[in-house]
């Protein structure tokens, strides 16, 4: 993909300070430096992925050859088909998409409700409850894993979508993030609504949420990305092949004695693409609108 | 000794302390009663948990298919967890009383699972069915699966470890092929001859030997060739501070530091240096024979890459070590009889012959079919894997994982930091002995 | 209501005088309803298991046979446990190595990517790739790249050194007790940079443009604008990023688990890795839980200190 094909995101927006106050020559010079620096950085960032992509297109022999080669020859396109057929990746893909989607929607709902209460409603013990809530972020998952598993088993949710989603819906991180954002929205708006006799829910639904689209989009992509790659919990919950998610599928390429590098890299590439596409297209909804100012405790 | 009920109650109590009130409201409804009654009530589904990666999955599935024909009323659901996470998941399931009916086990961890009460004793079944012929399982490894005179698992395979060598490389360099017994010195000379900087840039790009990870059961292999062993046979004393053990480990360290014929263990882990022709000798069990064949072709086929197996070099006596895999039954199963039927079938001679012996997945658990491991497809001296069983030693202790983690620390001091074995190994013993006694 | 009744009898007085107002009481009820889904989930799926693990920490328990109550025995033991202290040192090493570096780099990146130039979305996406890829696959790939005998990184480094005729050799990275932790830090910073970059970008977007315009009119240089406008107005975001990065660093596990298994010479056994070893490999869940609670106390302490000091450096509008 060439960077030149992408139009600037917002032609109609006010011109930046650079464009408004600099001469054309200076602007050009700045752009050249910016492109050079950004490209160099990108190359450094992307080298591991070029290696990943390159490995995914090598046959077994080429994958392990030393000195390493960057351009596979012949290109083993069939790795992609082989990987897809070696295991029911269709199913893994659908499971991952389904679980991530459910988690994203559900976390956005619970976190925004909770964040609204923590940011805007006055009730006794609010700060203490919030700190307690935040404190749970500080417990490593490894220690609550076993009790949580026991609990989920009592619910009969082992090896089910319930077990994959419900215990992960309640997120202190998301609540924290949204609370910080809600605190930046001017109070005047909701004071006006209160005078009009709006219920708290109406204020949340009609004022807070529409104004918080960028923050919601940010949290949304974080949650989606995180659950798309989540490994440990699905590993415990899922037993059947047809319930597995993509990261569990990738683990098949790690044998007891060998790593199937080219197939693993195929899987990793396949897993990467959807989230990247979402990020590429969604960024203008959040990067260009969110603010986290007003983090006052 | 163990009180499963009190443990269960304890867990439920603690996990639900604050949540008790909400639990009832959230709990999933019980499966509708009577739904299964109309169907064939005698059909049961057994859960089988077992690692197994892409290469050998078809083999295990083949065995399950055979079982389907045999007993359509007992279905098998294979819950596959890759090796890396298998033990974490198994332990979690054990705590939650959610152990599958049939459990894949290995000899190095089996004592831990037996003694903590996770596995069901086979003894009453064995006593009632003499035709199972327990004597046919290699006796060397049955110690791992036995506790207080009761057997808890049947092995499907055993692993001994041999140097696997690139015969073509030996021939090209005019190095004598290692056939029959050989000594440490001969081995060392061979390694030195075959360690080369072929590109001339000052870096070794062809290694004499890829040393196994010695912070594991494999440590018994070199030790046994000098009359030493890792842990005493009663499992109560670490023997790494004996002069023979120190001599052996120092010899191995010298291969790396002085003669520089071997990269560190971790350096070889990521890509198959042997298969890519960058090492003259590797080490491996029969399963490695299978994976090497899948990458470079059968041992005697590829003219450019002929390979074979050799005996482990010895100091004072021939030696090796044996461990292996097995199937056991989860102690909380509701279908103990059916699970027993399946394990019996899955570890029976004809099945193991096809699943384990012929493809060189391992030395089959049963001695009577061991010769099936020797095929034209497999290396010329494949027989060595069986021959060394006679003098192989093993370490079976309940705290295997913890003890090897401690061992890893000290082996790193020797193999990476180049500390003298004579100074380090006594320290290792000091830290390992209390663990052995505490967990005995 | 009888005046003789004690004031605390009336529910209206429970929360203090300001809650006597019916509107206030409605607000409390609304808050309760808003928080209900969270609180229910929080109690069931977090507090329950948390209390269980607190209970475990008082036990000598291999997870399966009957536990022995040892009260604070595990806690006393861990203070004498050299491996525990070693793991704390490794964790602090990781934290000190990764948090400042990650913070500075992601801020620099956000500044560089906060421009309206052609293709900026492409560049942002590139820097975000490491964030969205699976940690398992990426950590494995880095392990391979770091491999001194077959990895692409050392191959390229050594070729470069040879080309420049520098008498240098690339380090053994994960095989060296000295370099293993820096290697993990480097990989983690690479992996996490894009994440904080997004948050910083968002923060930059929130700085009102008119402030810069006013500064331009006053003739302030770009550098001066950065120090007097950008940096102060970005402190709330920095605060959030800092708190989250530190919490995350205290819990570093996967990298060590996949790339080094804690070695060499246990130089990369972080505290959570040590918890995992104890709980899941050695089946000492009681002890593992005790370590986790000590770690928790530590993180909580550090976070509270940050929270208290925020007034000194965090700039709120």
């Amino acid at each position: 993909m060439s960077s030149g094909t992408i139009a600037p995101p917002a032609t109609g927006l006010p011109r930046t300070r650079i464009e408004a106050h600099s001469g054309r020559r200076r602007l050009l010079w700045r752009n050249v430096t910016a492109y050079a620096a950004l490209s160099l950085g990108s190359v450094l960032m992307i080298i591991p992925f070029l290696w990943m992509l390159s490995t995914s297109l090598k046959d077994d022999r080429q994958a392990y050859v030393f000195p390493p080669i960057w351009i596979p020859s012949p290109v083993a396109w069939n790795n992609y088909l082989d990987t897809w057929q070696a295991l029911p990746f269709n199913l893994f893909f659908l499971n991952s998409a389904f679980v991530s989607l459910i988690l994203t929607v559900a976390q956005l709902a619970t976190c925004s409700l909770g964040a609204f209460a923590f940011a805007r409603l006055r009730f006794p013990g609010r700060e203490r409850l919030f700190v307690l809530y935040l404190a749970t972020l500080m417990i490593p998952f490894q220690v609550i894993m076993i009790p949580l598993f026991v609990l989920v088993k009592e619910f009969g949710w082992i090896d089910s979508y319930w077990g994959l989603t419900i215990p992960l819906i309640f997120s202190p991180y998301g609540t924290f993030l949204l609370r910080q954002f809600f605190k930046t929205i001017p109070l005047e708006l909701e004071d006006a609504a209160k005078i009009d006799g709006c219920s708290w829910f109406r204020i949340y639904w009609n004022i807070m949420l529409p104004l918080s689209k960028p923050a919601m989009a940010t949290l949304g992509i974080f949650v989606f990305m995180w659950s798309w790659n989540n490994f440990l919990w699905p590993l415990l919950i899922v037993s059947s092949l047809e319930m597995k998610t993509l990261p569990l599928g990738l683990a098949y390429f790690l044998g007891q004695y060998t790593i199937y590098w080219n197939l693993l890299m195929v899987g990793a590439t396949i897993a990467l693409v959807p989230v990247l596409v979402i990020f590429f297209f969604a960024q203008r909804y959040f990067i260009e609108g969110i603010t986290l100012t007003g983090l006052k405790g | 000794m163990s009180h499963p009920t009190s443990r269960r109650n304890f867990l439920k109590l603690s996990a639900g302390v604050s949540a008790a009130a909400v639990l009832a409201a959230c709990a999933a409804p019980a499966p509708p009663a009577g739904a299964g009654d109309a169907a064939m009530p005698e059909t049961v589904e057994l859960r089988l948990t077992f690692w197994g990666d892409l290469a050998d999955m078809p083999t295990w599935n083949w065995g399950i298919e055979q079982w389907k024909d045999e007993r359509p009323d007992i279905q098998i659901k294979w819950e596959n967890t890759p090796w890396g996470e298998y033990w974490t998941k198994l332990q979690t399931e054990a705590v939650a009383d959610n152990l599958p009916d049939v459990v894949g086990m290995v000899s190095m961890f089996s004592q831990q699972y037996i003694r903590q009460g996770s596995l069901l004793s086979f003894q009453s079944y064995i006593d009632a069915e003499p035709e199972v012929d327990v004597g046919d399982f290699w006796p060397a490894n049955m110690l791992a699966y036995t506790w207080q005179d009761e057997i808890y698992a049947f092995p499907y395979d055993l692993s001994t470890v041999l140097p696997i060598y690139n015969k073509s490389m030996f021939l090209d360099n005019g190095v004598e092929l290692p056939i029959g017994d050989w000594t440490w010195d001969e081995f060392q000379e061979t390694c030195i001859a075959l360690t080369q900087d072929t590109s001339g840039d000052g870096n070794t790009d062809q290694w004499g030997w890829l040393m196994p990870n010695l912070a594991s059961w494999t440590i018994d292999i070199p030790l046994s060739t000098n009359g030493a062993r890792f842990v005493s046979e009663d499992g109560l004393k670490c023997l790494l501070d004996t002069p023979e053990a120190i001599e052996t480990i120092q010899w191995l360290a010298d291969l790396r530091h002085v003669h520089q014929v071997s990269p560190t263990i971790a350096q070889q882990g990521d890509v198959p240096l042997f298969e890519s022709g960058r090492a003259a000798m590797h080490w491996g069990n029969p399963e490695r024979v299978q994976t090497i064949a899948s990458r470079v072709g059968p041992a005697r086929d590829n003219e450019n890459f002929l390979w074979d197996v050799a005996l482990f070099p010895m100091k004072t006596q021939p030696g090796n070590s044996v461990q292996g895999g097995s199937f056991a039954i989860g102690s909380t199963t509701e279908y103990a009889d059916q699970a027993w039927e399946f394990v019996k079938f899955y570890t029976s001679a004809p099945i193991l012959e096809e699943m384990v012996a012929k493809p060189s997945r391992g030395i089959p658990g049963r001695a009577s079919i061991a010769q099936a491991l020797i095929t034209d497809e497999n290396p010329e001296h494949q027989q060595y894997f069986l021959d060394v069983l006679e003098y192989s030693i093993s370490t079976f202790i309940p705290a295997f994982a913890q003890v090897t983690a401690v061992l890893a620390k000290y082996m790193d001091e020797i193999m990476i930091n180049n500390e003298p074995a004579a100074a380090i190994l006594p320290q290792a013993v000091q830290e390992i002995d209390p663990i052995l006694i505490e967990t005995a | 209501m009888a005046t003789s009744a004690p004031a605390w009898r009336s529910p209206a007085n429970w929360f203090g005088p300001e809650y006597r107002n019916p509107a206030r009481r409605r607000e409390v009820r609304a808050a309760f309803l808003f928080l209900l889904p969270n609180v229910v989930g929080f109690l069931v799926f977090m507090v329950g298991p948390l209390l269980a693990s607190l209970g475990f920490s008082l036990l000598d328990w291999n997870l399966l046979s009957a536990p022995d109550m040892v009260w604070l025995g595990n806690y006393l033991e861990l203070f004498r446990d050299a491996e525990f202290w070693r793991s704390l040192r490794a964790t602090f090493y990781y934290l000190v190595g990764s948090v400042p570096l990650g913070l500075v780099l992601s801020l620099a990146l956000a500044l560089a990517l906060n421009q309206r130039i052609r293709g900026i979305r492409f560049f942002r996406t590139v820097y975000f790739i490491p964030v969205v890829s699976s940690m398992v696959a990426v950590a494995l790939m880095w392990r391979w790249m770091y491999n001194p005998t077959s990895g692409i990184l050392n191959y390229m480094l050594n070729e470069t050194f040879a080309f420049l005729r520098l008498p240098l050799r690339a380090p053994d990275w994960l095989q060296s007790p000295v370099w293993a932790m820096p290697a993990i830090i480097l990989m983690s910073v690479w992996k996490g940079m894009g994440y904080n970059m997004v948050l910083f970008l968002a923060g930059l977007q929130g700085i009102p443009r008119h402030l810069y315009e006013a500064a331009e009119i006053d003739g302030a240089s770009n550098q001066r604008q950065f120090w007097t406008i950008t940096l102060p107005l970005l402190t709330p975001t920095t605060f959030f990023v800092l708190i989250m990065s530190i919490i995350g660093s205290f819990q570093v596990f996967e990298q060590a688990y996949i790339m080094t298994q804690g070695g060499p010479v246990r130089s990369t056994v972080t505290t959570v890795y040590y918890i995992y070893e104890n709980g899941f490999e050695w089946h000492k869940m009681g002890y593992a839980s005790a370590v986790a609670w000590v770690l928790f106390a530590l993180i909580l302490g550090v976070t509270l200190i940050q929270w208290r000091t925020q007034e000194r450096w965090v700039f709120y509008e």
Side-chain angles (χ1 to χ4, degrees):
Chain A
M1 192 186 304
S2 126
S3 56
T5 59
I6 298 150
T11 42
L13 287 177
R15 282 144 56 92
T16 65
R17 60 204 168 87
I18 301 165
E19 288 169 62
H21 299 282
S22 314
R24 274 204 161 271
R25 179 186 282 274
R26 196 175 141 205
L27 181 66
L28 184 73
W29 182 238
R30 261 193 90 102
N31 274 353
V32 169
T33 348
Y35 277 119
L38 287 176
S39 305
L40 184 72
S42 309
V43 169
L44 287 178
M45 286 306 276
I46 219 169
I47 279 181
F49 288 97
L50 295 179
W51 184 241
M52 174 167 135
L53 204 63
S54 156
T55 306
S56 78
L57 291 170
K58 290 172 180 170
D59 59 31
D60 263 0
R61 198 183 47 79
Q62 293 179 61
Y64 313 122
V65 80
F66 195 89
I69 48 168
W70 280 99
I71 312 286
S73 153
V75 180
W77 297 108
N78 60 316
N79 280 352
Y80 280 76
L81 201 64
D82 288 352
T83 308
W84 204 267
Q85 286 169 345
L87 290 162
F89 263 92
N90 285 331
L91 272 177
F92 300 166
F93 212 90
L94 285 175
N95 286 335
S96 272
F98 179 70
V99 168
S100 306
L101 217 60
I102 295 283
L103 270 180
T104 308
V105 172
Q107 270 208 24
L108 285 179
T110 60
C111 290
S112 63
L113 285 169
F116 180 73
F118 281 126
R120 277 299 202 258
L121 299 175
R122 280 157 300 176
F123 59 93
R126 180 175 79 170
E127 299 307 313
R128 242 165 294 163
L129 184 63
F130 185 66
V131 168
L132 190 71
Y133 205 57
L134 271 191
T136 53
L137 275 175
M138 302 166 198
I139 291 281
F141 183 67
Q142 282 80 357
V143 276
I144 63 162
M145 205 161 90
I146 284 191
L148 192 60
F149 184 85
V150 171
L151 191 71
V152 167
K153 192 222 160 196
E154 293 301 317
F155 287 170
W157 289 349
I158 301 293
D159 210 17
S160 73
Y161 290 121
W162 300 108
L164 276 174
T165 52
I166 307 278
L168 305 179
I169 283 176
F170 312 95
S171 155
Y173 176 83
T175 311
F176 187 22
L177 187 85
L178 290 183
R179 168 186 177 269
Q180 303 308 77
F181 185 80
F182 287 168
K183 275 183 166 279
T184 67
I185 293 175
L187 278 170
E188 297 85 49
L189 287 170
E190 83 188 54
D191 286 342
K194 266 189 270 182
I195 290 163
D196 290 349
C198 272
S199 71
W200 284 107
F201 186 78
R202 289 279 303 269
I203 294 174
Y204 160 79
W205 189 256
N206 289 348
I207 297 176
M208 261 336 182
L209 286 192
L211 287 173
S212 309
K213 273 181 200 155
M216 298 286 276
T218 310
L219 180 61
I221 195 142
F222 283 177
V223 176
F224 190 88
M225 181 185 83
W226 171 81
S227 54
W228 185 260
N229 290 326
N230 193 12
F231 183 71
L232 204 48
W233 182 247
L235 174 86
L236 294 184
I237 286 297
V238 172
S239 302
S240 329
L241 189 66
E242 58 278 9
M243 284 297 297
K244 291 204 172 186
T245 55
L246 270 178
L248 299 183
L250 289 188
Y252 277 101
F253 300 120
L254 312 175
Q256 191 179 351
Y257 300 106
T258 45
I259 300 174
Y260 301 86
W261 279 111
N262 40 7
L263 303 188
L264 179 69
M265 294 298 121
V266 169
T269 311
I270 293 174
L272 178 66
V273 171
V275 198
L276 218 52
V277 170
I278 294 177
F279 178 83
F280 182 80
F281 288 106
Q283 55 174 294
R284 94 185 149 101
Y285 294 104
F286 60 94
I287 287 186
E288 278 141 40
I290 182 190
T291 146
L292 278 173
T293 48
L295 272 116
K296 202 151 199 152
Chain B
M1 231 188 97
S2 94
H3 308 280
T5 330
S6 67
R7 169 174 55 85
R8 253 197 310 276
N9 288 340
F10 165 74
L11 258 176
K12 277 184 197 165
L13 193 72
S14 51
V17 164
S18 67
V22 239
L23 278 186
C26 298
D37 292 355
M40 296 198 320
E42 68 271 25
T43 300
V44 301
E45 186 184 70
L46 296 183
R47 292 165 57 215
L48 158 69
T49 187
F50 184 50
W51 58 96
D53 64 19
L54 288 177
D56 55 350
M57 238 190 253
T59 315
W60 301 107
N61 273 324
W62 176 87
I64 294 173
E65 289 298 318
Q66 302 307 304
W67 171 251
K68 256 187 203 160
D69 298 341
E70 180 96 3
R71 290 293 295 268
D73 57 323
I74 305 176
Q75 291 168 3
I76 303 294
K77 181 183 168 213
W78 180 7
E79 300 178 352
N80 188 324
T81 306
W83 175 260
E85 282 70 34
Y86 182 81
W87 302 100
T88 301
K89 177 153 177 166
L90 190 66
Q91 183 66 2
T92 308
E93 291 188 315
V95 181
D97 283 336
N98 195 43
L99 269 184
D101 306 291
V102 181
V103 179
M105 198 31 69
V106 291
S107 52
M108 57 182 170
F109 298 144
S110 53
Q111 283 298 320
Q112 185 170 20
Y113 282 88
I114 293 171
R115 296 193 197 186
Q116 71 185 14
S118 299
L119 306 180
L120 189 80
S121 167
F122 288 4
Q123 207 54 46
S124 57
Y125 293 109
I126 293 171
D127 294 344
E129 300 175 43
E131 68 276 13
V132 174
D133 192 9
V134 176
D136 189 24
F137 292 115
W138 296 98
N141 227 23
M142 289 311 282
L143 278 177
Y145 308 124
T146 307
W147 191 49
Q148 297 181 338
D149 297 324
E150 301 203 1
I151 291 174
Y152 287 82
F154 280 169
Y156 60 82
D157 85 346
L158 279 72
S159 283
T160 48
V161 173
L162 299 175
I164 302 175
Y165 66 94
N166 184 331
K167 193 171 168 181
S168 301
M169 195 184 285
F170 273 66
L171 295 173
D172 292 345
N173 288 275
V175 176
E176 193 187 341
L177 296 179
I179 294 168
D181 282 327
W182 53 336
T183 64
W184 283 6
D185 290 340
E186 288 166 329
F187 177 80
Q188 186 172 308
E189 291 313 311
T190 306
C191 288
I192 292 170
L194 289 166
T195 301
Q196 293 169 9
D197 170 13
T198 51
S199 66
D201 64 353
N203 297 320
T204 300
D205 19 43
Q206 177 181 303
W207 300 93
W209 185 37
L210 303 179
M211 199 182 294
N213 172 17
L214 292 169
S216 176
W217 63 276
T218 43
I219 195 168
D220 269 330
I221 305 166
L223 290 176
S224 65
T225 65
N226 196 18
R229 56 184 299 146
F230 177 28
V231 172
S232 62
E233 281 184 74
D234 61 9
L236 295 173
K237 178 87 189 73
C238 176
L239 300 177
L240 282 178
D241 54 356
T242 61
E244 293 80 13
I246 291 171
E247 184 188 20
T248 310
I249 303 298
Q250 190 59 55
W251 174 64
L252 293 164
D254 288 347
L255 283 178
R256 158 132 188 82
H257 297 300
V258 179
H259 309 293
Q260 305 190 348
V261 298
S262 185
T264 62
I265 293 107
Q267 272 170 297
Q268 32 171 306
D270 299 318
V271 301
L273 291 173
F274 180 79
E275 286 96 316
S276 57
R278 298 181 60 208
M281 283 184 281
H282 184 33
W283 56 278
N285 55 10
E287 189 179 356
R288 283 293 291 142
V289 168
Q290 184 191 28
T291 54
I292 291 173
S294 74
R295 286 217 169 107
V296 304
R300 293 176 251 181
D301 270 21
N302 183 345
E303 280 304 318
N304 299 320
F305 202 127
L306 300 167
W307 51 285
D308 201 354
V309 295
L311 289 169
F312 222 86
M314 62 179 190
K315 178 75 177 176
T316 57
Q317 61 195 82
N320 216 293
S321 178
V322 60
Q323 297 276 349
S326 59
F327 291 104
I329 298 177
S331 57
T332 47
T333 178
E334 286 171 49
Y335 306 114
D337 294 351
Q338 289 91 335
W340 162 254
E341 290 297 322
F342 174 73
V343 170
K344 206 169 62 175
F345 175 86
Y346 218 42
T347 56
S348 65
I351 294 295
L352 288 188
E353 184 173 353
E354 293 297 325
M355 289 200 308
V356 177
K358 284 187 182 166
S360 189
R361 175 59 179 73
I363 298 169
R366 287 177 174 274
S368 60
I369 47 155
Q371 285 304 319
L373 188 63
I374 317 303
T375 66
D376 289 344
E377 290 281 289
N378 285 329
E380 203 179 329
H381 292 91
Q382 181 92 340
Q383 178 72 33
Y384 287 162
F385 282 115
L386 301 176
D387 294 348
V388 301
L389 273 171
E390 187 193 329
Y391 45 73
S392 289
I393 61 166
S394 305
T395 297
F396 304 125
I397 47 172
F400 194 86
Q402 190 179 357
V403 166
T404 47
V406 173
L407 178 64
K409 176 173 66 178
Y410 292 103
M411 289 307 285
D412 281 351
E413 292 281 10
I414 299 168
M415 292 296 175
I416 293 174
N417 284 355
N418 200 5
E419 298 286 337
I424 297 296
L425 290 176
Q427 295 175 28
V429 171
Q430 255 180 16
E431 195 173 338
I432 290 172
D433 275 350
I435 303 171
L436 292 176
I437 289 162
E438 190 192 332
T439 54
Chain C
M1 193 182 293
T3 45
S4 60
W8 56 266
R9 281 275 176 84
S10 161
N13 293 334
W14 286 357
F15 303 138
E18 71 270 27
Y19 289 98
R20 281 194 201 122
N21 176 339
R24 274 297 166 80
R25 291 224 296 277
R26 268 205 304 280
E27 194 170 336
V28 173
R29 201 163 355 159
F32 175 75
L33 289 174
F34 271 101
L35 284 172
L36 193 62
N38 263 302
V39 166
V40 169
F42 178 65
L43 287 178
V44 177
F45 296 111
M46 293 209 183
V47 176
L50 274 178
L51 290 180
S53 85
L54 191 61
F56 295 171
S57 75
L58 306 177
L59 303 171
D60 177 11
W61 189 35
N62 74 359
L63 283 170
L64 283 146
S65 18
D68 285 331
M69 189 57 125
V70 293
W71 299 107
L72 295 179
N74 287 325
Y75 292 91
L76 295 176
E77 191 187 332
L78 74 86
F79 282 103
R80 290 192 306 266
D81 179 359
E83 292 296 329
F84 166 70
W85 292 108
R86 193 206 287 263
S87 80
L88 268 190
R89 277 199 301 276
T91 307
F92 271 103
Y93 185 178
Y94 175 83
L95 191 149
V96 170
S98 67
V99 172
L101 186 65
L103 208 67
V104 170
L105 284 178
S106 51
L107 176 59
L109 202 56
L111 289 169
L113 290 171
N114 190 33
Q115 309 179 55
R116 278 174 208 285
I117 54 174
R118 236 165 223 282
I120 198 71
R121 283 166 74 191
F122 168 77
F123 282 118
R124 286 174 184 166
T125 308
V126 166
Y127 288 102
F128 204 64
I129 294 178
V131 182
V132 296
S133 40
S134 124
M135 179 58 111
V136 178
V138 155
L140 276 169
M141 195 175 57
W142 274 80
R143 194 178 81 185
W144 180 16
M145 295 200 322
Y146 276 137
N147 190 308
T149 42
S150 55
I152 185 89
L153 182 65
N154 275 20
Y155 176 73
M156 292 197 313
L157 281 176
N158 283 332
E159 292 286 298
T160 314
F161 293 152
F163 181 73
L164 299 173
R165 300 181 189 282
L166 291 173
L168 292 174
R169 282 194 44 73
D172 273 357
W173 299 114
L174 302 173
Q175 269 87 69
S176 144
V178 176
W179 282 97
M181 189 55 95
I184 287 184
I185 289 171
L186 185 66
M187 179 265 168
S188 309
V189 167
W190 169 85
K191 173 93 170 74
M193 221 159 70
Y195 193 86
N196 292 334
M197 170 200 82
V198 168
L199 292 171
F200 276 127
L201 269 174
L204 287 173
Q205 300 283 336
I207 299 176
R209 203 138 291 170
H210 62 82
L211 292 178
Y212 290 112
E213 281 156 11
E216 289 270 338
I217 291 164
D218 292 346
S221 68
N222 280 344
Q223 219 181 355
R224 199 173 152 70
Q225 287 176 30
F226 173 75
W227 291 108
T228 55
I229 301 174
T230 313
L231 214 53
L233 288 183
L234 211 53
T235 47
T237 310
T238 315
F239 179 63
F240 180 86
V241 169
L242 188 68
I243 285 205
M244 285 303 155
S245 305
I246 289 180
I247 293 178
S249 297
F250 268 118
Q251 298 185 358
V252 58
F253 166 71
E254 270 182 303
Q255 294 93 317
Y257 177 66
I258 296 166
M259 293 169 75
T260 58
Q261 302 273 306
V265 209
R266 297 185 72 76
S267 60
T268 57
V269 174
T270 61
T271 307
V272 173
Y273 189 87
Y274 192 53
I275 291 168
Y276 173 85
E277 261 185 332
N278 269 289
F280 289 91
E281 293 188 346
W282 310 341
H283 300 194
K284 292 162 71 178
M285 203 25 115
Y287 192 67
S289 304
V291 176
W293 278 89
V294 171
L295 179 68
F296 165 76
L298 202 64
I299 303 178
L300 188 65
V302 171
T303 309
L304 284 180
I305 291 171
Q306 293 179 77
W307 206 269
R308 291 272 152 77
T309 54
Q310 63 170 318
E311 273 131 42
R312 293 200 205 139
W313 65 277
V314 182
F315 181 86
Y316 292 108
E317 276 183 86

